[in-house]
Amino acid sequence: MNYLNIYEKLIQRGQARQLDSTVYFEEHHIVPRCMGGTDSLGNLVKLTPEEHLLAHLLLIRIHPTIGKLTIALHWMLQGKW
């Protein structure tokens, strides 16, 4: 399975849409901070909570040797995000 392709499509979908002001969203770093990503607007995308979880699961599959991605997912699931 091409996890990178799925991740890229998820990010593109988030970038292309306008969420209604009543929709809860979470900001996701497209390039994670633990991989050198910044807090710049160009590196952030608004995702629904379900999409945000999926994005982190995909990142772990794409980069299995980067342990900080697993830690980030753990924090997110514990509500410490």
Side-chain angles (χ1 to χ4, degrees):
M1 185 168 292
N2 190 336
Y3 297 114
L4 180 58
N5 189 324
I6 297 167
Y7 181 76
E8 288 173 347
K9 286 181 181 180
L10 177 67
I11 297 305
Q12 290 170 359
R13 179 174 140 184
Q15 292 172 323
R17 69 162 173 235
Q18 292 289 328
L19 291 175
D20 183 280
S21 62
T22 63
V23 175
Y24 173 77
F25 67 87
E26 299 172 352
E27 287 192 339
H28 173 69
H29 289 85
I30 299 167
V31 176
R33 287 184 288 182
C34 68
M35 296 176 62
T38 68
D39 291 334
S40 69
L41 291 178
N43 191 43
L44 296 172
V45 63
K46 295 175 182 178
L47 299 176
T48 66
E50 296 84 3
E51 290 171 334
H52 196 192
L53 175 61
L54 177 59
H56 279 269
L57 291 170
L58 289 166
L59 283 169
I60 290 170
R61 292 290 185 151
I62 296 164
H63 306 285
T65 61
I66 301 177
K68 288 185 178 183
L69 291 173
T70 303
I71 293 168
L73 176 63
H74 176 75
W75 286 346
M76 194 167 111
L77 294 173
Q78 296 299 315
K80 298 177 183 176
W81 199 254

